[in-house]
Amino acid sequence: ASSLCASHKYGAAEEPLRRALAIRESAIGPYHREMAPALTFLGGVLRAQGNFAQAQPAYERALARNGVDAPTDDQSGLSDDQ
């Protein structure tokens, strides 16, 4: 998946990345802190494709694995008028 991302082939990278994530999740559990880098990578791939609705939960899951709360809408720096 990383070589596909390096070539900016994000759509092609998504499926292998999701498979790798599922394998890692089954091996170490979905709440293990070592899941954070893979979830962050998935969030980046989704964001690069413009799929922000799916990227956000991946990033939030990554933050949770590191014991960090995701920012609320108030803390994100974004407002409804942006």
Side-chain angles (χ1 to χ4, degrees), residues 25-76:
E25 217 170 56
S26 68
I28 64 175
Y31 302 104
H32 196 285
R33 72 176 295 137
E34 288 183 19
M35 291 295 298
L39 288 163
T40 300
F41 193 50
L42 175 62
V45 166
L46 294 166
R47 181 181 53 83
Q49 295 178 78
N51 192 342
F52 303 110
Q54 287 186 7
Q56 182 176 351
Y59 284 134
E60 289 173 351
R61 286 180 61 202
L63 288 170
R65 300 313 171 269
N66 283 322
V68 178
D69 291 330
T72 63
D73 287 339
D74 300 6
Q75 299 167 325
S76 70

